Amino acid sequence: MASEDVLASLGVEGASAAAHALSLPADAYGNDPRLEVMWAMKAYNHAEVYFNLISSVDPKFLKLTKLDDEIYSSFRETFRDLDLKLLRTEDLKSDRAKETWRTFCNQFEGLIEDFNYGTLLRLDCEKDYTEENTIFATRTQFFAVEIARNREGFNSSVFLSKGSQ
């Protein structure tokens, strides 16, 4: 469902209420399905903006946060052998991986805004966001993987493929 379709289905008041609710603390949320739709839209919009960015600017020159150096350094210390080109679900979701990621991400609490906010991450870095190529991750995981992909040249194929069209 496109963003416009979701907004139309919510109506102006519903969209405004859901948008306001997104700014509340987590314990204030109910089970309002409109909130889930708004969170999904926000994650999708973030993914779309990011993919457009790496498609139009050489990713090697991108700076995603003011902490890129620290995030990258800690990421590579913690995840030396992680295959950035083709992530597997187990790399983020297995019990062992969850514990390692939790420890990694928690060091950035208070440093990265909304550090554990849900976002979308591509599994295969050479492909666009699709249902089959997307996994739900935290914002810190997204930054860590994408900063490393940018610095190590894995996202260059997206930029180069878009530039040759």
Side-chain angles (χ1 to χ4, degrees), residues 44-56:
Y44 174 78
N45 288 337
H46 175 265
E48 188 175 49
V49 167
Y50 181 70
F51 195 79
N52 287 338
L53 183 63
I54 63 171
S55 297
S56 56

Side-chain angles (χ1 to χ4, degrees), residues 88-95 97-98 101 135-137 141:
R88 298 169 304 140
T89 302
E90 304 84 58
D91 295 331
L92 290 104
K93 303 295 182 183
S94 71
D95 288 341
K98 283 181 183 178
W101 276 109
I135 191 166
F136 195 68
Q141 288 173 308

Side-chain angles (χ1 to χ4, degrees), residues 4-145:
E4 300 80 28
D5 297 335
V6 173
L7 289 175
S9 71
L10 291 174
V12 174
E13 287 181 18
S16 293
H20 168 71
L22 292 178
S23 66
L24 297 174
D27 57 0
Y29 297 129
N31 287 327
D32 188 338
R34 295 177 298 181
L35 290 177
E36 290 181 23
V37 171
M38 293 300 289
W39 280 113
M41 277 180 40
K42 192 171 181 179
Y44 174 78
N45 288 337
H46 175 265
E48 188 175 49
V49 167
Y50 181 70
F51 195 79
N52 287 338
L53 183 63
I54 63 171
S55 297
S56 56
V57 175
D58 189 341
K60 287 185 269 187
F61 301 111
L62 287 178
K63 187 160 176 71
L64 301 182
T65 76
K66 61 184 177 188
L67 298 171
D68 280 14
D69 293 338
E70 294 87 342
I71 293 169
Y72 179 72
S73 176
S74 181
F75 172 74
R76 273 312 189 194
E77 282 178 29
T78 306
F79 299 97
R80 286 181 179 88
D81 300 322
L82 186 64
D83 181 2
L84 292 172
K85 182 186 178 314
L86 186 60
L87 292 172
R88 298 169 304 140
T89 302
E90 304 84 58
D91 295 331
L92 290 104
K93 303 295 182 183
S94 71
D95 288 341
R96 184 175 177 191
K98 283 181 183 178
E99 187 54 41
T100 305
W101 276 109
R102 185 178 303 111
T103 301
F104 173 83
C105 292
N106 283 341
Q107 71 182 311
F108 295 103
E109 185 174 8
L111 300 173
I112 295 175
E113 184 178 343
D114 299 326
F115 84 107
N116 63 352
Y117 175 80
T119 158
L120 302 175
L121 182 62
R122 293 169 300 133
L123 295 170
D124 184 336
C125 68
E126 294 182 348
K127 297 180 181 175
D128 201 341
Y129 287 92
T130 62
E131 188 173 339
E132 301 79 30
N133 194 45
T134 304
I135 191 166
F136 195 68
T138 67
R139 188 171 183 171
T140 303
Q141 288 173 308
F142 170 85
F143 282 140
V145 169

